Amino acid sequence: VTSITEVARRAGVSVSTASRVVSEADYPVSAEARERVLEAARELDYVPNALARGLLKRHLPVVAVIVHDITDPYFAEIVRGVEDAAAPAGFLVITCSSERDPARESEYVRLLRSMRAAAVIFAGSGLDDPALNAELPRHLGAMRSAGAAVVHLSPHALGEPEIRVDNAGGIASMVRALVDLGHRSIAFLAGPSTLYVARERLAGYSRGLAVAGIEPDPRLVIETTFDHAGGAAAVDRLLAGGAPITAVLAANDLLAIGAIRRLAERGIDVPGQVSVAGFDDIAIASVTAPALSTVRLPLREMGRLGFASAERQLAGEPDEPRVVPTEVVLRGSTAPPPAAAASRAAARGASPLRAQPRGAAS
Amino acid sequence: VTSITEVARRAGVSVSTASRVVSEADYPVSAEARERVLEAARELDYVPNALARGLLKRHLPVVAVIVHDITDPYFAEIVRGVEDAAAPAGFLVITCSSERDPARESEYVRLLRSMRAAAVIFAGSGLDDPALNAELPRHLGAMRSAGAAVVHLSPHALGEPEIRVDNAGGIASMVRALVDLGHRSIAFLAGPSTLYVARERLAGYSRGLAVAGIEPDPRLVIETTFDHAGGAAAVDRLLAGGAPITAVLAANDLLAIGAIRRLAERGIDVPGQVSVAGFDDIAIASVTAPALSTVRLPLREMGRLGFASAERQLAGEPDEPRVVPTEVVLRGSTAPPPAAAASRAAARGASPLRAQPRGAAS
DNA sequence: CTGAAAGCGCTTACAG
DNA sequence: CTGAAAGCGCTTACAG
């Protein structure tokens, strides 16, 4: 724990000069003094105290990412993107799993505020729950006015996100792709309706159906949690409902993967009898069997963009919102609907699922 | 950015008294003074400056987790465990993806040292590369002597890990389980031989074979990276090698999942023709098709234990190494070997893979 | 180009 | 129970 005082003494210079050298300040120092300081620092294994420095500057070179759950591949990928951009700039990244609990979120932001974090990036969607969100805006306001950056990568209650995904457009494109494959009976696993992203994606589903001239069937829209279990449960409800279905579109990949697994357990072939598609394109999506058709989001890039936005804010530069592209990726989990079943379904509204014995599909 | 000075002024007390109240120091303060300070703090939205506090204490209430890649579910789960234990104690968690690059790792630890992080937890295995690891021990030594905690959750070059997994025993148990199923030709996807964990798991494979009285066949051991792609590539090499195989045991789940996928692409049924098993039991292992048989590691619990070890070290308490249990979990990806093929293979050493047309399996 | 001094926001002996 | 003062390790006007 050597301090700059000892470095200065050993180098035979003042603390001021030592500081100017080790902090790489833009300030004239003679070559020999510089060399002596550097050598003393090396010999003493001097590492500057970032806390002391942070006390004088406005904040610590640390950026926090608030995620719902770091264990969700969607968020892990974003955090990695933030880190990839932050590391070269000398920033460390703090991850906070809020579990979508506004109280935990507030507490985390309070802690971040006390640590004078330079930026906080909200990776997950906001929750529509104004009463519980009371504290958060106060903390964010205080951080902002203390010069810290605040970035949102998803829709939220407090305004437009700095990094924006066209959720509705992405889902609508996938609806279109399924329709092009021949599907007309497309179920939608919607995620939690309290989440702003989930709402946008649901809107995309409705829009996609409207564009294709398909009458929406409320029985085909299932509200779920945003994980494997939600996908499995939704399949059960769908099958119990008895409505005709040839495709299932899920509001995220985790739901889709859970749905595929449940369909397999029920003896229903994917994509032979039912096509399944997701959203996000998390890493495992391409490794499942069958590989998942999905709408790709550049998750890592979103993390990088998030940090870039923070940097701009910290530098006092103008920060225009960025819109991030989505792309439909068709893999093995989608196919044309079973021909016979499809025409029968169209003719009398029967469920192709029940009418179609396993293995008889194309 | 209100400071304790303003709180003290508004409350009409000295800074000392205000400090004693807001920092919850164990020091007598009159009830009315306390109340006035608390109220002033509330009114001013006072949040103490953790940097100033950290400058006086030995360190900042922050714990870092060094992982290979936060995007790997293995590490995400551990980080979550650390966070679950750290949050109630008021610690924030910093994640550092080192990509197994000793230079990056050193740089991260230097940064952590400069921030006076209270603890650094190494989640991943050490690399056997003494030359490159030169800087790391110096930083760790400095942190330790500054009172910070250092925890290892995996084998490494610098001694015994604080939290220890019986890697060899776990793999050997899975070999045993496969043998019990009737397998004798068990390939092993070993991971990178430079990683200490990978070596321990390979040793477990050898031990398992020895216990079962099976002659090891060097063609069946494939060194790989530790990801999906490594599993796929290993399957290709195995099939090209032409050695008889009825089961593939992978040193981690990512490898196993990549292998299953590649086998499916090659038209080989899992587990009908070939059984596949992994190690770790990451969350997706139970959702793949077929669900993955694996050796369960209590990853989240390991994270919690890691933080607990750090807390003990910080408190100056004795910190005995903990050994964490492993458990064989048999799911859909393993089954008895195809009977005909197995006996033929035993008789003349032919490959059951080639001899067994798709779908003819039990 | 160099250095003495003030100050960032706290905590903690020390004296009362 | 209360408060004045020193000091943690830096940076940065300010004077030379």
Side-chain angles (χ1 to χ4, degrees), chain B residues 60-88:
Chain B
L60 205 58
V62 145
V63 44
V65 188
I66 314 276
V67 299
H68 290 331
D69 180 5
I70 187 63
T71 266
D72 180 334
Y74 177 91
F75 292 113
E77 197 70 35
I78 288 179
V79 166
R80 190 55 150 81
V82 171
E83 189 185 339
D84 286 350

PDB file of all heavy atoms in Angstrom, chain B residues 60-88:
ATOM      1  N   LEU B  60     -13.124  -0.730  -0.484  1.00  0.00           N
ATOM      2  CA  LEU B  60     -14.474  -0.435  -0.936  1.00  0.00           C
ATOM      3  C   LEU B  60     -15.317  -1.710  -0.824  1.00  0.00           C
ATOM      4  O   LEU B  60     -14.828  -2.796  -1.110  1.00  0.00           O
ATOM      5  CB  LEU B  60     -14.380  -0.017  -2.413  1.00  0.00           C
ATOM      6  CG  LEU B  60     -15.443   0.869  -3.024  1.00  0.00           C
ATOM      7  CD1 LEU B  60     -15.563   2.182  -2.280  1.00  0.00           C
ATOM      8  CD2 LEU B  60     -15.095   1.123  -4.485  1.00  0.00           C
ATOM      9  N   PRO B  61     -16.599  -1.597  -0.438  1.00  0.00           N
ATOM     10  CA  PRO B  61     -17.431  -2.804  -0.337  1.00  0.00           C
ATOM     11  C   PRO B  61     -17.815  -3.334  -1.710  1.00  0.00           C
ATOM     12  O   PRO B  61     -18.961  -3.242  -2.129  1.00  0.00           O
ATOM     13  CB  PRO B  61     -18.651  -2.334   0.459  1.00  0.00           C
ATOM     14  CG  PRO B  61     -18.733  -0.876   0.194  1.00  0.00           C
ATOM     15  CD  PRO B  61     -17.325  -0.403  -0.014  1.00  0.00           C
ATOM     16  N   VAL B  62     -16.832  -3.882  -2.387  1.00  0.00           N
ATOM     17  CA  VAL B  62     -17.018  -4.355  -3.746  1.00  0.00           C
ATOM     18  C   VAL B  62     -16.250  -5.661  -3.877  1.00  0.00           C
ATOM     19  O   VAL B  62     -15.132  -5.774  -3.388  1.00  0.00           O
ATOM     20  CB  VAL B  62     -16.458  -3.288  -4.713  1.00  0.00           C
ATOM     21  CG1 VAL B  62     -15.837  -3.938  -5.922  1.00  0.00           C
ATOM     22  CG2 VAL B  62     -17.537  -2.304  -5.124  1.00  0.00           C
ATOM     23  N   VAL B  63     -16.865  -6.645  -4.497  1.00  0.00           N
ATOM     24  CA  VAL B  63     -16.167  -7.909  -4.718  1.00  0.00           C
ATOM     25  C   VAL B  63     -16.152  -8.185  -6.216  1.00  0.00           C
ATOM     26  O   VAL B  63     -17.153  -8.006  -6.899  1.00  0.00           O
ATOM     27  CB  VAL B  63     -16.834  -9.064  -3.924  1.00  0.00           C
ATOM     28  CG1 VAL B  63     -18.335  -9.008  -4.030  1.00  0.00           C
ATOM     29  CG2 VAL B  63     -16.347 -10.417  -4.412  1.00  0.00           C
ATOM     30  N   ALA B  64     -14.994  -8.580  -6.703  1.00  0.00           N
ATOM     31  CA  ALA B  64     -14.862  -8.838  -8.140  1.00  0.00           C
ATOM     32  C   ALA B  64     -14.853 -10.338  -8.399  1.00  0.00           C
ATOM     33  O   ALA B  64     -14.321 -11.109  -7.608  1.00  0.00           O
ATOM     34  CB  ALA B  64     -13.580  -8.223  -8.654  1.00  0.00           C
ATOM     35  N   VAL B  65     -15.462 -10.735  -9.502  1.00  0.00           N
ATOM     36  CA  VAL B  65     -15.398 -12.130  -9.920  1.00  0.00           C
ATOM     37  C   VAL B  65     -14.685 -12.180 -11.266  1.00  0.00           C
ATOM     38  O   VAL B  65     -15.110 -11.523 -12.220  1.00  0.00           O
ATOM     39  CB  VAL B  65     -16.801 -12.751 -10.064  1.00  0.00           C
ATOM     40  CG1 VAL B  65     -16.691 -14.257 -10.307  1.00  0.00           C
ATOM     41  CG2 VAL B  65     -17.637 -12.487  -8.828  1.00  0.00           C
ATOM     42  N   ILE B  66     -13.599 -12.910 -11.306  1.00  0.00           N
ATOM     43  CA  ILE B  66     -12.871 -13.066 -12.565  1.00  0.00           C
ATOM     44  C   ILE B  66     -13.369 -14.331 -13.232  1.00  0.00           C
ATOM     45  O   ILE B  66     -13.231 -15.429 -12.677  1.00  0.00           O
ATOM     46  CB  ILE B  66     -11.343 -13.211 -12.348  1.00  0.00           C
ATOM     47  CG1 ILE B  66     -10.839 -12.175 -11.356  1.00  0.00           C
ATOM     48  CG2 ILE B  66     -10.609 -13.190 -13.666  1.00  0.00           C
ATOM     49  CD1 ILE B  66     -10.544 -10.850 -11.944  1.00  0.00           C
ATOM     50  N   VAL B  67     -13.968 -14.184 -14.394  1.00  0.00           N
ATOM     51  CA  VAL B  67     -14.495 -15.345 -15.117  1.00  0.00           C
ATOM     52  C   VAL B  67     -13.794 -15.441 -16.471  1.00  0.00           C
ATOM     53  O   VAL B  67     -13.144 -14.491 -16.906  1.00  0.00           O
ATOM     54  CB  VAL B  67     -16.020 -15.208 -15.339  1.00  0.00           C
ATOM     55  CG1 VAL B  67     -16.740 -15.120 -14.011  1.00  0.00           C
ATOM     56  CG2 VAL B  67     -16.346 -13.989 -16.197  1.00  0.00           C
ATOM     57  N   HIS B  68     -13.929 -16.579 -17.109  1.00  0.00           N
ATOM     58  CA  HIS B  68     -13.367 -16.660 -18.451  1.00  0.00           C
ATOM     59  C   HIS B  68     -14.239 -15.860 -19.409  1.00  0.00           C
ATOM     60  O   HIS B  68     -13.776 -15.136 -20.268  1.00  0.00           O
ATOM     61  CB  HIS B  68     -13.267 -18.120 -18.894  1.00  0.00           C
ATOM     62  CG  HIS B  68     -12.220 -18.875 -18.142  1.00  0.00           C
ATOM     63  ND1 HIS B  68     -11.110 -18.259 -17.627  1.00  0.00           N
ATOM     64  CD2 HIS B  68     -12.104 -20.182 -17.819  1.00  0.00           C
ATOM     65  CE1 HIS B  68     -10.359 -19.160 -17.024  1.00  0.00           C
ATOM     66  NE2 HIS B  68     -10.945 -20.323 -17.102  1.00  0.00           N
ATOM     67  N   ASP B  69     -15.557 -16.021 -19.232  1.00  0.00           N
ATOM     68  CA  ASP B  69     -16.498 -15.350 -20.131  1.00  0.00           C
ATOM     69  C   ASP B  69     -17.864 -15.347 -19.469  1.00  0.00           C
ATOM     70  O   ASP B  69     -18.442 -16.407 -19.242  1.00  0.00           O
ATOM     71  CB  ASP B  69     -16.544 -16.098 -21.477  1.00  0.00           C
ATOM     72  CG  ASP B  69     -17.512 -15.455 -22.448  1.00  0.00           C
ATOM     73  OD1 ASP B  69     -18.064 -14.390 -22.133  1.00  0.00           O
ATOM     74  OD2 ASP B  69     -17.708 -16.033 -23.534  1.00  0.00           O
ATOM     75  N   ILE B  70     -18.390 -14.181 -19.196  1.00  0.00           N
ATOM     76  CA  ILE B  70     -19.666 -14.083 -18.491  1.00  0.00           C
ATOM     77  C   ILE B  70     -20.801 -14.686 -19.321  1.00  0.00           C
ATOM     78  O   ILE B  70     -21.868 -15.022 -18.800  1.00  0.00           O
ATOM     79  CB  ILE B  70     -19.980 -12.603 -18.137  1.00  0.00           C
ATOM     80  CG1 ILE B  70     -21.215 -12.502 -17.249  1.00  0.00           C
ATOM     81  CG2 ILE B  70     -20.182 -11.768 -19.386  1.00  0.00           C
ATOM     82  CD1 ILE B  70     -21.082 -13.168 -15.923  1.00  0.00           C
ATOM     83  N   THR B  71     -20.561 -14.844 -20.593  1.00  0.00           N
ATOM     84  CA  THR B  71     -21.530 -15.382 -21.533  1.00  0.00           C
ATOM     85  C   THR B  71     -21.648 -16.904 -21.422  1.00  0.00           C
ATOM     86  O   THR B  71     -22.607 -17.514 -21.884  1.00  0.00           O
ATOM     87  CB  THR B  71     -21.030 -14.960 -22.941  1.00  0.00           C
ATOM     88  OG1 THR B  71     -21.660 -13.756 -23.294  1.00  0.00           O
ATOM     89  CG2 THR B  71     -21.208 -16.022 -23.960  1.00  0.00           C
ATOM     90  N   ASP B  72     -20.683 -17.517 -20.787  1.00  0.00           N
ATOM     91  CA  ASP B  72     -20.726 -18.959 -20.535  1.00  0.00           C
ATOM     92  C   ASP B  72     -21.625 -19.190 -19.319  1.00  0.00           C
ATOM     93  O   ASP B  72     -21.365 -18.655 -18.232  1.00  0.00           O
ATOM     94  CB  ASP B  72     -19.291 -19.435 -20.264  1.00  0.00           C
ATOM     95  CG  ASP B  72     -19.202 -20.922 -19.980  1.00  0.00           C
ATOM     96  OD1 ASP B  72     -20.193 -21.510 -19.505  1.00  0.00           O
ATOM     97  OD2 ASP B  72     -18.129 -21.497 -20.231  1.00  0.00           O
ATOM     98  N   PRO B  73     -22.706 -19.970 -19.486  1.00  0.00           N
ATOM     99  CA  PRO B  73     -23.686 -20.150 -18.415  1.00  0.00           C
ATOM    100  C   PRO B  73     -23.068 -20.648 -17.110  1.00  0.00           C
ATOM    101  O   PRO B  73     -23.582 -20.349 -16.030  1.00  0.00           O
ATOM    102  CB  PRO B  73     -24.642 -21.208 -18.966  1.00  0.00           C
ATOM    103  CG  PRO B  73     -24.426 -21.245 -20.427  1.00  0.00           C
ATOM    104  CD  PRO B  73     -23.054 -20.730 -20.696  1.00  0.00           C
ATOM    105  N   TYR B  74     -22.003 -21.383 -17.215  1.00  0.00           N
ATOM    106  CA  TYR B  74     -21.297 -21.858 -16.032  1.00  0.00           C
ATOM    107  C   TYR B  74     -20.904 -20.672 -15.155  1.00  0.00           C
ATOM    108  O   TYR B  74     -21.164 -20.638 -13.956  1.00  0.00           O
ATOM    109  CB  TYR B  74     -20.057 -22.637 -16.484  1.00  0.00           C
ATOM    110  CG  TYR B  74     -19.155 -23.144 -15.394  1.00  0.00           C
ATOM    111  CD1 TYR B  74     -19.338 -24.407 -14.850  1.00  0.00           C
ATOM    112  CD2 TYR B  74     -18.095 -22.371 -14.930  1.00  0.00           C
ATOM    113  CE1 TYR B  74     -18.486 -24.887 -13.861  1.00  0.00           C
ATOM    114  CE2 TYR B  74     -17.244 -22.842 -13.940  1.00  0.00           C
ATOM    115  CZ  TYR B  74     -17.445 -24.096 -13.409  1.00  0.00           C
ATOM    116  OH  TYR B  74     -16.609 -24.560 -12.439  1.00  0.00           O
ATOM    117  N   PHE B  75     -20.301 -19.678 -15.773  1.00  0.00           N
ATOM    118  CA  PHE B  75     -19.825 -18.523 -15.014  1.00  0.00           C
ATOM    119  C   PHE B  75     -20.951 -17.588 -14.603  1.00  0.00           C
ATOM    120  O   PHE B  75     -20.931 -17.017 -13.517  1.00  0.00           O
ATOM    121  CB  PHE B  75     -18.773 -17.776 -15.830  1.00  0.00           C
ATOM    122  CG  PHE B  75     -17.512 -18.565 -16.008  1.00  0.00           C
ATOM    123  CD1 PHE B  75     -17.119 -19.024 -17.248  1.00  0.00           C
ATOM    124  CD2 PHE B  75     -16.731 -18.876 -14.906  1.00  0.00           C
ATOM    125  CE1 PHE B  75     -15.956 -19.785 -17.403  1.00  0.00           C
ATOM    126  CE2 PHE B  75     -15.571 -19.631 -15.044  1.00  0.00           C
ATOM    127  CZ  PHE B  75     -15.183 -20.087 -16.297  1.00  0.00           C
ATOM    128  N   ALA B  76     -21.927 -17.442 -15.475  1.00  0.00           N
ATOM    129  CA  ALA B  76     -23.048 -16.570 -15.131  1.00  0.00           C
ATOM    130  C   ALA B  76     -23.726 -17.064 -13.856  1.00  0.00           C
ATOM    131  O   ALA B  76     -24.089 -16.278 -12.979  1.00  0.00           O
ATOM    132  CB  ALA B  76     -24.048 -16.513 -16.288  1.00  0.00           C
ATOM    133  N   GLU B  77     -23.848 -18.387 -13.765  1.00  0.00           N
ATOM    134  CA  GLU B  77     -24.507 -18.970 -12.599  1.00  0.00           C
ATOM    135  C   GLU B  77     -23.689 -18.723 -11.325  1.00  0.00           C
ATOM    136  O   GLU B  77     -24.243 -18.392 -10.269  1.00  0.00           O
ATOM    137  CB  GLU B  77     -24.666 -20.479 -12.843  1.00  0.00           C
ATOM    138  CG  GLU B  77     -25.663 -21.152 -11.939  1.00  0.00           C
ATOM    139  CD  GLU B  77     -27.099 -20.769 -12.246  1.00  0.00           C
ATOM    140  OE1 GLU B  77     -27.442 -20.562 -13.427  1.00  0.00           O
ATOM    141  OE2 GLU B  77     -27.886 -20.661 -11.286  1.00  0.00           O
ATOM    142  N   ILE B  78     -22.388 -18.854 -11.433  1.00  0.00           N
ATOM    143  CA  ILE B  78     -21.527 -18.598 -10.274  1.00  0.00           C
ATOM    144  C   ILE B  78     -21.606 -17.129  -9.862  1.00  0.00           C
ATOM    145  O   ILE B  78     -21.738 -16.804  -8.678  1.00  0.00           O
ATOM    146  CB  ILE B  78     -20.067 -18.978 -10.596  1.00  0.00           C
ATOM    147  CG1 ILE B  78     -19.931 -20.506 -10.670  1.00  0.00           C
ATOM    148  CG2 ILE B  78     -19.116 -18.410  -9.542  1.00  0.00           C
ATOM    149  CD1 ILE B  78     -18.537 -20.995 -11.008  1.00  0.00           C
ATOM    150  N   VAL B  79     -21.549 -16.245 -10.846  1.00  0.00           N
ATOM    151  CA  VAL B  79     -21.618 -14.813 -10.548  1.00  0.00           C
ATOM    152  C   VAL B  79     -22.918 -14.497  -9.816  1.00  0.00           C
ATOM    153  O   VAL B  79     -22.944 -13.737  -8.852  1.00  0.00           O
ATOM    154  CB  VAL B  79     -21.515 -13.975 -11.839  1.00  0.00           C
ATOM    155  CG1 VAL B  79     -21.926 -12.537 -11.587  1.00  0.00           C
ATOM    156  CG2 VAL B  79     -20.085 -14.030 -12.375  1.00  0.00           C
ATOM    157  N   ARG B  80     -23.994 -15.146 -10.264  1.00  0.00           N
ATOM    158  CA  ARG B  80     -25.276 -14.924  -9.620  1.00  0.00           C
ATOM    159  C   ARG B  80     -25.231 -15.363  -8.151  1.00  0.00           C
ATOM    160  O   ARG B  80     -25.803 -14.711  -7.278  1.00  0.00           O
ATOM    161  CB  ARG B  80     -26.343 -15.694 -10.385  1.00  0.00           C
ATOM    162  CG  ARG B  80     -27.750 -15.372  -9.969  1.00  0.00           C
ATOM    163  CD  ARG B  80     -28.012 -13.860 -10.060  1.00  0.00           C
ATOM    164  NE  ARG B  80     -29.391 -13.614 -10.356  1.00  0.00           N
ATOM    165  CZ  ARG B  80     -30.370 -13.627  -9.455  1.00  0.00           C
ATOM    166  NH1 ARG B  80     -30.083 -13.822  -8.196  1.00  0.00           N
ATOM    167  NH2 ARG B  80     -31.607 -13.409  -9.812  1.00  0.00           N
ATOM    168  N   GLY B  81     -24.569 -16.464  -7.908  1.00  0.00           N
ATOM    169  CA  GLY B  81     -24.434 -16.941  -6.535  1.00  0.00           C
ATOM    170  C   GLY B  81     -23.655 -15.955  -5.685  1.00  0.00           C
ATOM    171  O   GLY B  81     -24.026 -15.654  -4.548  1.00  0.00           O
ATOM    172  N   VAL B  82     -22.577 -15.438  -6.233  1.00  0.00           N
ATOM    173  CA  VAL B  82     -21.794 -14.436  -5.511  1.00  0.00           C
ATOM    174  C   VAL B  82     -22.676 -13.234  -5.201  1.00  0.00           C
ATOM    175  O   VAL B  82     -22.722 -12.745  -4.068  1.00  0.00           O
ATOM    176  CB  VAL B  82     -20.570 -13.978  -6.335  1.00  0.00           C
ATOM    177  CG1 VAL B  82     -19.899 -12.788  -5.669  1.00  0.00           C
ATOM    178  CG2 VAL B  82     -19.576 -15.125  -6.515  1.00  0.00           C
ATOM    179  N   GLU B  83     -23.401 -12.801  -6.206  1.00  0.00           N
ATOM    180  CA  GLU B  83     -24.248 -11.627  -6.021  1.00  0.00           C
ATOM    181  C   GLU B  83     -25.327 -11.874  -4.962  1.00  0.00           C
ATOM    182  O   GLU B  83     -25.604 -11.000  -4.136  1.00  0.00           O
ATOM    183  CB  GLU B  83     -24.902 -11.243  -7.350  1.00  0.00           C
ATOM    184  CG  GLU B  83     -25.615  -9.900  -7.269  1.00  0.00           C
ATOM    185  CD  GLU B  83     -26.370  -9.566  -8.546  1.00  0.00           C
ATOM    186  OE1 GLU B  83     -26.053 -10.139  -9.608  1.00  0.00           O
ATOM    187  OE2 GLU B  83     -27.282  -8.725  -8.464  1.00  0.00           O
ATOM    188  N   ASP B  84     -25.909 -13.059  -4.978  1.00  0.00           N
ATOM    189  CA  ASP B  84     -26.962 -13.365  -4.008  1.00  0.00           C
ATOM    190  C   ASP B  84     -26.444 -13.257  -2.574  1.00  0.00           C
ATOM    191  O   ASP B  84     -27.175 -12.859  -1.671  1.00  0.00           O
ATOM    192  CB  ASP B  84     -27.517 -14.771  -4.246  1.00  0.00           C
ATOM    193  CG  ASP B  84     -28.397 -14.825  -5.489  1.00  0.00           C
ATOM    194  OD1 ASP B  84     -28.716 -13.747  -6.037  1.00  0.00           O
ATOM    195  OD2 ASP B  84     -28.754 -15.929  -5.913  1.00  0.00           O
ATOM    196  N   ALA B  85     -25.187 -13.628  -2.384  1.00  0.00           N
ATOM    197  CA  ALA B  85     -24.618 -13.534  -1.037  1.00  0.00           C
ATOM    198  C   ALA B  85     -24.099 -12.131  -0.752  1.00  0.00           C
ATOM    199  O   ALA B  85     -24.150 -11.650   0.376  1.00  0.00           O
ATOM    200  CB  ALA B  85     -23.481 -14.543  -0.883  1.00  0.00           C
ATOM    201  N   ALA B  86     -23.619 -11.457  -1.779  1.00  0.00           N
ATOM    202  CA  ALA B  86     -22.969 -10.162  -1.591  1.00  0.00           C
ATOM    203  C   ALA B  86     -23.975  -9.038  -1.337  1.00  0.00           C
ATOM    204  O   ALA B  86     -23.740  -8.152  -0.509  1.00  0.00           O
ATOM    205  CB  ALA B  86     -22.106  -9.825  -2.808  1.00  0.00           C
ATOM    206  N   ALA B  87     -25.094  -9.077  -2.041  1.00  0.00           N
ATOM    207  CA  ALA B  87     -26.055  -7.982  -1.959  1.00  0.00           C
ATOM    208  C   ALA B  87     -26.541  -7.716  -0.532  1.00  0.00           C
ATOM    209  O   ALA B  87     -26.523  -6.569  -0.082  1.00  0.00           O
ATOM    210  CB  ALA B  87     -27.226  -8.228  -2.907  1.00  0.00           C
ATOM    211  N   PRO B  88     -26.975  -8.750   0.193  1.00  0.00           N
ATOM    212  CA  PRO B  88     -27.445  -8.495   1.562  1.00  0.00           C
ATOM    213  C   PRO B  88     -26.354  -7.902   2.449  1.00  0.00           C
ATOM    214  O   PRO B  88     -26.647  -7.213   3.423  1.00  0.00           O
ATOM    215  CB  PRO B  88     -27.825  -9.887   2.076  1.00  0.00           C
ATOM    216  CG  PRO B  88     -27.981 -10.740   0.870  1.00  0.00           C
ATOM    217  CD  PRO B  88     -27.084 -10.166  -0.181  1.00  0.00           C
TER     218      PRO B  88
END
